[in-house]
Amino acid sequence: MLVGAFALAHTPQLIARPDTEDRDLVLRVHAAFARVKARLAALRPDALAVIAGDHVEAFFLDAVPALAVYVGRECAGTFGPYEYRFEIDEALARAVVEQGIERGFDLFYTQDRRLDYAFFVPLHFTMPEPAPPLVPLHVNVYLPPQPTPRRCYEWGRALGEILGGRPERVALIASGGMSHYPGTERYASPDIEWDRQVLETLQAGRGRELAALTGDELDKTGNVELRTWITLLGAVGDRPADVYCYEPSWHHGNAVVEWRL
Amino acid sequence: MSAVTPGAHYPFPPASAYRLNRCLFALKSDAAFRQSFQQDATRAMTEAGLSDQQQKLVLARDRDALVAAGAHPYLVFMADLRLRMDRSAFEYF
């Protein structure tokens, strides 16, 4: 069963802050993460299903899955001085990939790829103790052509039904967003107005509208990573979002959001 | 409705730039390659199969020219960041 749903920023500067970043802003996002950590502890999840978009770390151009499930015993990776290692809920991950394929989603799976900071940053700050195992789920956001928002939403709906039919208590986390343009000339101009409109739509409980966005709109607004949120929205439906914070920095719209199930 | 439009921030990486992107990926994610690049960039890039023109673009750290040549903007950004990165310049939480 699904017991919780969250969307969490994964800006790397939240863990490793250079002096270009406003320290007070970083600490305000940390405070929102601390609220999520307390919520997760109260929800007592048996597993965390984390939907994230790999930053061309696990998946390079030699093999580009649209949607992938990590089905190993554990998964690991490094960020700066930190080494992360997480147990995977193998039975649950296997059920996701098997039932997903039965439902017509041609999922890629891996038993040996790394994770990257899309997973580490939210878990660094919100992982409850003791740490429940993960079901890491990858959505291709950076290597075009990416899956359409509609496909992400449909996959999320199937994922919600699969997890909803399981005995484990599962919290769903979408990692990433909102507007940012790493590596492009728009890096210093995130589309904050567009982000705020999306958050208003979500607060009003109209999440399904995001399934109608196009890939072009996501690219134009610096929101290619919103595919992870749209996947989550397929699972949580039109419940209203509780926005813990929206903290736009000079290059990144940092949001922390919960959907109460 | 195409997900890939001319002028996109993240365009399709053409096959002509595969080795260039693989080199940038290695600079981002492979500490051993990064070290060999820092010791002898020309040799590292030659062994990675980059053309003379691609090597010039990497050495010049010219983002716009690299992207025009098919390099993925995120890989250009992160390769450059990793080459310049000094861990002591960060406050870690």
Coordinates of all heavy atoms in Angstrom, one line a residue, chain A residues 14-18 23 30 55-57 60-62 80-82 114 117 124 142-145 181-187 214 216 219-220, chain B residues 1-5 7-13 18 21-22 25 28-29 63-64 67 72-75 77-78 82 87 89-93:
Chain A
L14 N 22.8 21.8 -2.2 CA 22.1 21.6 -0.8 C 23.0 20.8 0.1 O 22.9 20.9 1.3 CB 20.8 21.0 -1.0 CG 19.7 21.8 -1.7 CD1 18.4 21.0 -2.0 CD2 19.4 23.1 -0.9
I15 N 23.8 19.9 -0.5 CA 24.8 19.1 0.3 C 26.2 19.8 0.3 O 26.8 19.9 1.3 CB 24.9 17.7 -0.3 CG1 23.7 16.8 0.1 CG2 26.2 17.0 0.4 CD1 23.8 15.4 -0.4
A16 N 26.6 20.2 -0.9 CA 27.9 20.8 -1.0 C 27.7 22.3 -1.4 O 27.5 22.6 -2.6 CB 28.7 20.1 -2.1
R17 N 27.8 23.2 -0.5 CA 27.5 24.6 -0.7 C 28.7 25.4 -1.1 O 29.6 25.6 -0.2 CB 26.8 25.2 0.5 CG 26.2 26.6 0.2 CD 25.7 27.3 1.5 NE 26.8 27.6 2.4 CZ 27.5 28.8 2.3 NH1 27.2 29.7 1.4 NH2 28.5 29.0 3.2
P18 N 28.9 25.9 -2.3 CA 29.9 26.8 -2.6 C 29.5 28.2 -2.2 O 28.3 28.4 -1.8 CB 30.1 26.8 -4.1 CG 28.7 26.3 -4.6 CD 28.1 25.6 -3.5
R23 N 23.4 30.9 2.0 CA 23.3 29.9 3.1 C 22.0 29.8 3.7 O 21.5 28.8 4.1 CB 24.4 30.2 4.1 CG 24.6 29.1 5.1 CD 25.9 29.4 5.9 NE 26.3 28.1 6.6 CZ 25.9 27.7 7.7 NH1 25.0 28.4 8.4 NH2 26.3 26.6 8.2
H30 N 16.7 22.8 3.9 CA 17.0 21.8 4.9 C 15.9 21.6 6.0 O 15.6 20.5 6.4 CB 18.4 22.1 5.6 CG 19.6 21.9 4.8 ND1 20.8 22.2 5.2 CD2 19.7 21.6 3.5 CE1 21.7 21.9 4.3 NE2 21.0 21.6 3.2
H55 N 21.5 11.6 -13.9 CA 22.2 12.7 -14.6 C 23.4 12.2 -15.4 O 24.5 12.5 -15.2 CB 22.8 13.7 -13.6 CG 21.7 14.4 -12.8 ND1 21.2 13.9 -11.7 CD2 21.2 15.6 -12.9 CE1 20.3 14.7 -11.2 NE2 20.3 15.8 -11.9
V56 N 23.0 11.3 -16.4 CA 24.1 10.7 -17.3 C 25.2 10.2 -16.4 O 26.4 10.5 -16.7 CB 24.5 11.8 -18.3 CG1 25.1 11.0 -19.5 CG2 23.4 12.7 -18.8
E57 N 24.9 9.4 -15.4 CA 25.9 8.8 -14.5 C 25.8 7.3 -14.6 O 26.7 6.6 -15.0 CB 25.6 9.3 -13.1 CG 26.6 8.7 -12.1 CD 28.0 9.3 -12.2 OE1 28.2 10.4 -12.8 OE2 29.0 8.7 -11.7
F60 N 24.7 6.2 -19.8 CA 25.3 7.1 -20.8 C 24.7 6.8 -22.2 O 23.7 6.0 -22.2 CB 26.8 6.9 -20.8 CG 27.6 7.7 -21.8 CD1 27.5 9.1 -21.8 CD2 28.3 7.0 -22.8 CE1 28.2 9.8 -22.8 CE2 29.0 7.7 -23.8 CZ 28.9 9.1 -23.8
L61 N 25.2 7.3 -23.2 CA 24.6 7.1 -24.5 C 24.8 5.7 -25.1 O 24.3 5.4 -26.2 CB 25.2 8.1 -25.5 CG 24.9 9.6 -25.2 CD1 25.8 10.6 -25.9 CD2 23.4 9.9 -25.5
D62 N 25.5 4.8 -24.4 CA 25.7 3.5 -24.9 C 24.4 2.6 -24.6 O 24.2 1.6 -25.3 CB 26.9 2.7 -24.3 CG 26.8 2.8 -22.8 OD1 26.2 3.7 -22.2 OD2 27.5 1.9 -22.1
G80 N 30.9 13.8 -3.6 CA 31.9 14.5 -2.8 C 32.5 13.5 -1.8 O 33.0 12.4 -2.2
P81 N 32.6 13.8 -0.5 CA 33.3 12.9 0.4 C 32.4 11.8 0.9 O 32.8 11.0 1.7 CB 33.6 13.9 1.6 CG 32.5 14.9 1.6 CD 32.1 15.1 0.1
Y82 N 31.1 11.8 0.5 CA 30.2 10.8 1.0 C 30.0 9.6 0.1 O 30.0 9.7 -1.1 CB 28.8 11.5 1.1 CG 28.7 12.6 2.1 CD1 28.4 13.9 1.6 CD2 29.1 12.5 3.4 CE1 28.4 15.0 2.5 CE2 29.1 13.6 4.3 CZ 28.7 14.8 3.8 OH 28.7 15.9 4.6
R114 N 25.1 2.3 -11.0 CA 25.3 3.2 -9.8 C 24.0 4.1 -9.6 O 23.2 4.2 -10.5 CB 26.4 4.1 -10.1 CG 27.8 3.5 -10.1 CD 28.8 4.5 -10.5 NE 28.8 4.7 -12.0 CZ 29.7 5.4 -12.6 NH1 30.7 6.0 -12.0 NH2 29.7 5.4 -14.0
Y117 N 23.4 11.7 -7.6 CA 22.9 12.6 -6.6 C 21.4 12.9 -6.7 O 20.8 13.4 -5.7 CB 23.7 13.9 -6.5 CG 23.6 14.8 -7.8 CD1 22.5 15.7 -7.9 CD2 24.6 14.8 -8.7 CE1 22.4 16.5 -9.0 CE2 24.5 15.7 -9.8 CZ 23.4 16.5 -10.0 OH 23.3 17.3 -11.0
H124 N 19.8 11.9 1.7 CA 20.8 12.4 2.7 C 20.0 13.1 3.8 O 20.4 13.0 5.0 CB 21.7 13.3 2.0 CG 22.8 13.9 2.8 ND1 24.1 13.3 2.9 CD2 22.9 15.0 3.6 CE1 24.9 14.0 3.7 NE2 24.2 15.0 4.1
Y142 N 17.3 13.7 -19.2 CA 18.3 14.5 -19.9 C 18.8 14.1 -21.3 O 19.5 14.8 -21.9 CB 19.6 14.6 -18.9 CG 19.4 15.7 -17.9 CD1 19.2 15.3 -16.6 CD2 19.3 17.0 -18.2 CE1 19.0 16.3 -15.6 CE2 19.1 18.0 -17.3 CZ 19.0 17.6 -16.0 OH 18.8 18.6 -15.0
L143 N 18.4 12.8 -21.7 CA 18.9 12.4 -23.0 C 17.7 12.2 -24.0 O 17.0 11.3 -23.9 CB 19.6 11.0 -22.8 CG 20.9 11.1 -22.0 CD1 21.5 9.7 -21.8 CD2 22.0 12.0 -22.7
P144 N 17.5 13.2 -24.8 CA 16.4 13.2 -25.7 C 16.5 12.1 -26.7 O 17.6 11.7 -27.1 CB 16.5 14.5 -26.5 CG 17.4 15.4 -25.7 CD 18.3 14.4 -25.0
P145 N 15.4 11.5 -27.2 CA 14.0 11.9 -26.8 C 13.6 11.2 -25.5 O 13.7 10.0 -25.4 CB 13.2 11.4 -28.0 CG 14.0 10.2 -28.5 CD 15.4 10.6 -28.3
Y181 N 18.5 25.1 -15.6 CA 19.1 24.9 -16.9 C 20.6 24.6 -16.9 O 21.4 25.3 -17.5 CB 18.9 26.1 -17.8 CG 17.4 26.6 -18.0 CD1 16.8 27.4 -17.0 CD2 16.7 26.2 -19.1 CE1 15.6 27.9 -17.2 CE2 15.4 26.7 -19.3 CZ 14.8 27.5 -18.3 OH 13.6 28.0 -18.5
P182 N 21.0 23.5 -16.2 CA 22.4 23.3 -16.1 C 23.1 23.1 -17.5 O 22.7 22.4 -18.3 CB 22.5 22.0 -15.3 CG 21.2 21.3 -15.4 CD 20.2 22.4 -15.6
G183 N 24.2 23.9 -17.6 CA 25.0 23.7 -18.8 C 24.6 24.6 -20.0 O 25.2 24.6 -21.1
T184 N 23.5 25.4 -19.8 CA 23.0 26.2 -20.9 C 23.2 27.7 -20.5 O 23.4 28.1 -19.4 CB 21.5 25.9 -21.2 OG1 20.7 26.6 -20.2 CG2 21.2 24.4 -21.2
E185 N 22.9 28.5 -21.6 CA 23.1 30.0 -21.3 C 22.0 30.5 -20.4 O 22.1 31.7 -20.0 CB 23.1 30.7 -22.7 CG 21.8 30.5 -23.5 CD 21.9 31.0 -24.9 OE1 23.0 31.4 -25.3 OE2 20.9 31.0 -25.6
R186 N 21.0 29.7 -20.2 CA 19.9 30.2 -19.3 C 20.1 29.8 -17.8 O 19.2 29.9 -17.0 CB 18.5 29.7 -19.7 CG 17.8 30.6 -20.6 CD 16.3 30.4 -20.6 NE 15.7 30.9 -19.3 CZ 14.4 31.1 -19.1 NH1 13.6 30.8 -20.1 NH2 13.9 31.5 -18.0
Y187 N 21.3 29.3 -17.5 CA 21.5 28.8 -16.2 C 21.1 29.8 -15.1 O 20.5 29.4 -14.1 CB 23.0 28.4 -16.0 CG 23.3 27.7 -14.7 CD1 22.6 26.5 -14.4 CD2 24.3 28.1 -13.8 CE1 22.9 25.8 -13.2 CE2 24.5 27.5 -12.6 CZ 23.8 26.3 -12.3 OH 24.1 25.6 -11.1
T214 N 3.9 19.2 -22.8 CA 4.7 18.6 -23.9 C 6.1 18.6 -23.4 O 6.5 19.4 -22.6 CB 4.6 19.3 -25.2 OG1 5.1 20.6 -25.0 CG2 3.1 19.5 -25.7
D216 N 8.5 19.7 -25.2 CA 9.0 21.0 -25.5 C 8.8 22.0 -24.4 O 9.7 22.9 -24.1 CB 8.3 21.6 -26.8 CG 8.8 20.9 -28.0 OD1 9.9 20.3 -28.0 OD2 8.2 21.1 -29.1
D219 N 11.3 21.4 -21.6 CA 12.6 21.8 -22.0 C 12.7 23.4 -21.9 O 13.6 23.9 -21.4 CB 13.0 21.3 -23.4 CG 14.4 21.8 -23.8 OD1 15.3 21.0 -23.5 OD2 14.5 22.9 -24.4
K220 N 11.7 24.0 -22.5 CA 11.7 25.5 -22.5 C 11.7 26.1 -21.2 O 12.3 27.2 -21.0 CB 10.4 25.9 -23.3 CG 10.4 27.4 -23.6 CD 9.1 27.7 -24.4 CE 9.0 29.3 -24.5 NZ 7.6 29.7 -24.8
Chain B
M1 N 4.5 18.4 -31.3 CA 4.5 17.5 -30.1 C 5.9 16.8 -29.9 O 6.0 16.1 -29.0 CB 3.4 16.5 -30.2 CG 2.1 16.9 -29.7 SD 2.0 17.2 -27.9 CE 2.0 15.4 -27.3
S2 N 6.7 17.0 -30.9 CA 8.0 16.3 -30.8 C 8.7 16.7 -29.5 O 8.7 17.8 -29.1 CB 8.9 16.6 -32.0 OG 10.2 16.1 -31.7
A3 N 9.3 15.7 -28.9 CA 10.1 16.0 -27.7 C 11.4 16.6 -28.0 O 12.1 17.1 -27.1 CB 10.3 14.7 -26.9
V4 N 11.8 16.6 -29.3 CA 13.1 17.1 -29.7 C 12.9 18.2 -30.8 O 12.6 17.9 -31.9 CB 14.0 16.0 -30.3 CG1 15.4 16.5 -30.5 CG2 14.0 14.8 -29.4
T5 N 13.1 19.4 -30.4 CA 12.9 20.5 -31.3 C 14.2 21.3 -31.5 O 15.0 21.4 -30.6 CB 11.9 21.5 -30.6 OG1 10.6 20.8 -30.5 CG2 11.7 22.7 -31.4
G7 N 16.7 24.1 -31.4 CA 16.7 25.1 -30.4 C 16.5 24.7 -29.0 O 16.4 25.5 -28.1
A8 N 16.2 23.4 -28.8 CA 16.0 22.9 -27.4 C 17.2 23.1 -26.5 O 18.4 23.2 -27.0 CB 15.6 21.5 -27.4
H9 N 17.0 23.3 -25.2 CA 18.2 23.4 -24.3 C 19.0 22.2 -24.3 O 20.2 22.2 -24.2 CB 17.7 23.8 -22.9 CG 17.1 25.1 -22.8 ND1 15.8 25.4 -22.7 CD2 17.7 26.4 -22.8 CE1 15.6 26.7 -22.7 NE2 16.7 27.3 -22.7
Y10 N 18.3 21.0 -24.4 CA 19.0 19.7 -24.4 C 18.6 19.0 -25.7 O 17.7 18.2 -25.8 CB 18.6 18.9 -23.2 CG 18.9 19.6 -21.9 CD1 18.0 20.3 -21.2 CD2 20.3 19.7 -21.6 CE1 18.4 21.0 -20.0 CE2 20.6 20.4 -20.4 CZ 19.7 21.1 -19.7 OH 20.1 21.8 -18.5
P11 N 19.4 19.2 -26.8 CA 19.1 18.6 -28.1 C 19.6 17.2 -28.1 O 20.4 16.7 -27.3 CB 19.8 19.5 -29.1 CG 20.9 20.1 -28.3 CD 20.5 20.2 -26.9
F12 N 19.1 16.4 -29.1 CA 19.6 15.1 -29.3 C 21.1 15.0 -29.6 O 21.6 15.8 -30.4 CB 18.8 14.5 -30.5 CG 19.2 13.0 -30.8 CD1 18.6 12.0 -30.1 CD2 20.2 12.7 -31.8 CE1 19.0 10.7 -30.3 CE2 20.5 11.4 -32.0 CZ 19.9 10.4 -31.3
P13 N 21.8 14.2 -28.9 CA 23.3 14.1 -29.1 C 23.6 13.3 -30.3 O 23.3 12.1 -30.3 CB 23.8 13.4 -27.8 CG 22.6 13.2 -26.9 CD 21.4 13.3 -27.8
Y18 N 29.7 11.1 -30.5 CA 29.6 10.1 -29.5 C 30.9 10.1 -28.7 O 30.9 10.1 -27.4 CB 29.4 8.7 -30.1 CG 29.3 7.6 -29.0 CD1 28.2 7.5 -28.2 CD2 30.4 6.8 -28.8 CE1 28.2 6.6 -27.2 CE2 30.4 5.8 -27.8 CZ 29.3 5.7 -27.0 OH 29.2 4.8 -26.0
N21 N 31.3 13.1 -26.5 CA 30.4 13.0 -25.3 C 31.0 11.9 -24.3 O 30.9 12.1 -23.1 CB 29.0 12.7 -25.7 CG 28.2 13.9 -26.0 OD1 28.2 14.9 -25.3 ND2 27.5 13.9 -27.2
R22 N 31.5 10.9 -24.9 CA 32.1 9.8 -24.0 C 33.3 10.4 -23.2 O 33.5 10.1 -22.0 CB 32.5 8.6 -24.8 CG 32.8 7.4 -24.0 CD 33.1 6.2 -24.8 NE 34.2 6.4 -25.8 CZ 34.6 5.6 -26.7 NH1 33.9 4.4 -26.9 NH2 35.6 5.9 -27.5
F25 N 31.8 12.7 -20.5 CA 31.3 11.8 -19.5 C 32.4 11.2 -18.6 O 32.3 11.2 -17.4 CB 30.5 10.6 -20.2 CG 30.1 9.5 -19.3 CD1 29.2 9.7 -18.3 CD2 30.5 8.2 -19.6 CE1 28.7 8.7 -17.5 CE2 30.0 7.1 -18.8 CZ 29.2 7.4 -17.7
K28 N 33.7 13.8 -16.3 CA 32.7 14.0 -15.2 C 32.8 12.9 -14.2 O 32.8 13.1 -13.0 CB 31.3 14.1 -15.8 CG 30.2 14.0 -14.8 CD 28.8 14.2 -15.4 CE 28.1 12.9 -15.8 NZ 27.7 12.1 -14.7
S29 N 32.9 11.6 -14.6 CA 32.6 10.5 -13.8 C 33.7 9.5 -13.5 O 33.5 8.6 -12.7 CB 31.3 9.7 -14.3 OG 30.2 10.6 -14.4
R63 N 32.0 26.4 -24.5 CA 30.8 25.7 -24.4 C 29.9 25.7 -25.6 O 29.4 24.7 -26.1 CB 29.9 26.3 -23.2 CG 28.6 25.5 -23.0 CD 27.7 26.2 -22.0 NE 27.2 27.5 -22.5 CZ 26.6 28.4 -21.7 NH1 26.5 28.2 -20.4 NH2 26.2 29.5 -22.2
D64 N 29.7 27.0 -26.2 CA 28.8 27.1 -27.3 C 29.3 26.3 -28.5 O 28.6 25.6 -29.2 CB 28.7 28.6 -27.7 CG 27.9 29.3 -26.6 OD1 27.3 28.7 -25.7 OD2 28.0 30.6 -26.6
V67 N 28.8 22.5 -27.8 CA 27.4 22.2 -28.0 C 27.0 22.1 -29.4 O 26.3 21.2 -29.9 CB 26.4 23.1 -27.2 CG1 25.0 22.9 -27.5 CG2 26.7 22.9 -25.6
H72 N 26.7 17.2 -25.2 CA 25.5 17.4 -24.4 C 25.9 18.5 -23.4 O 26.9 18.5 -22.7 CB 25.2 16.1 -23.7 CG 23.9 16.2 -23.0 ND1 23.7 16.9 -21.8 CD2 22.7 15.6 -23.3 CE1 22.4 16.8 -21.5 NE2 21.8 15.9 -22.3
P73 N 25.0 19.6 -23.3 CA 25.3 20.7 -22.4 C 25.6 20.3 -21.0 O 26.5 20.9 -20.3 CB 24.0 21.6 -22.5 CG 23.4 21.2 -23.8 CD 23.7 19.8 -24.0
Y74 N 24.8 19.4 -20.5 CA 25.1 19.0 -19.1 C 26.4 18.3 -18.9 O 27.1 18.6 -17.9 CB 24.0 18.0 -18.6 CG 24.1 17.6 -17.2 CD1 23.8 18.4 -16.1 CD2 24.7 16.4 -16.9 CE1 24.0 18.0 -14.8 CE2 24.9 16.0 -15.6 CZ 24.6 16.8 -14.5 OH 24.8 16.4 -13.2
L75 N 26.9 17.6 -19.9 CA 28.2 16.9 -19.8 C 29.3 18.0 -19.9 O 30.3 17.9 -19.2 CB 28.4 15.9 -20.9 CG 27.5 14.6 -20.7 CD1 27.7 13.7 -21.9 CD2 27.8 13.9 -19.4
F77 N 29.1 21.1 -18.9 CA 29.0 21.8 -17.7 C 29.7 21.0 -16.6 O 30.6 21.5 -15.8 CB 27.5 22.0 -17.3 CG 27.2 22.6 -16.0 CD1 27.5 24.0 -15.8 CD2 26.5 21.9 -15.1 CE1 27.1 24.6 -14.6 CE2 26.1 22.5 -13.9 CZ 26.5 23.9 -13.7
M78 N 29.4 19.7 -16.4 CA 29.9 18.9 -15.3 C 31.4 18.6 -15.5 O 32.1 18.5 -14.6 CB 29.1 17.7 -15.1 CG 27.7 17.9 -14.6 SD 27.7 18.8 -13.0 CE 28.5 17.6 -11.9
R82 N 34.1 19.5 -12.7 CA 34.9 18.5 -12.1 C 36.4 18.8 -12.3 O 37.2 18.6 -11.4 CB 34.6 17.1 -12.6 CG 33.3 16.6 -12.2 CD 33.3 16.0 -10.8 NE 32.0 16.0 -10.2 CZ 31.1 15.1 -10.4 NH1 31.3 14.1 -11.3 NH2 29.9 15.1 -9.8
R87 N 37.5 20.6 -3.5 CA 36.5 20.2 -2.4 C 36.5 21.1 -1.3 O 35.5 21.3 -0.6 CB 36.8 18.8 -2.0 CG 36.2 17.7 -2.8 CD 36.3 16.4 -2.1 NE 35.9 15.3 -3.0 CZ 36.0 14.0 -2.7 NH1 36.4 13.7 -1.5 NH2 35.6 13.1 -3.5
A89 N 36.5 24.1 -1.3 CA 35.7 25.3 -1.5 C 34.2 25.1 -1.2 O 33.4 26.1 -1.4 CB 35.8 25.7 -3.0
F90 N 33.8 24.0 -0.6 CA 32.4 23.7 -0.3 C 32.2 23.6 1.2 O 33.1 23.1 1.9 CB 32.0 22.4 -1.0 CG 32.0 22.5 -2.5 CD1 33.1 22.1 -3.2 CD2 30.9 22.9 -3.2 CE1 33.1 22.1 -4.6 CE2 30.9 23.0 -4.6 CZ 32.0 22.6 -5.3
E91 N 31.0 24.0 1.6 CA 30.6 23.7 2.9 C 29.7 22.4 2.8 O 28.7 22.5 2.2 CB 29.7 24.8 3.5 CG 29.2 24.5 4.9 CD 28.2 25.6 5.4 OE1 27.9 26.5 4.6 OE2 27.9 25.5 6.6
Y92 N 30.1 21.3 3.4 CA 29.4 20.1 3.3 C 28.4 19.9 4.5 O 28.8 20.2 5.6 CB 30.3 18.9 3.3 CG 31.0 18.7 1.9 CD1 32.3 19.2 1.7 CD2 30.3 18.1 0.9 CE1 32.9 19.1 0.4 CE2 30.9 17.9 -0.4 CZ 32.2 18.4 -0.6 OH 32.8 18.3 -1.8
F93 N 27.2 19.5 4.1 CA 26.2 19.3 5.2 C 26.0 17.8 5.4 O 26.2 17.0 4.5 CB 24.9 19.9 4.8 CG 25.0 21.4 4.8 CD1 25.2 22.1 3.6 CD2 24.8 22.2 5.9 CE1 25.3 23.5 3.6 CE2 24.9 23.6 5.9 CZ 25.1 24.2 4.7

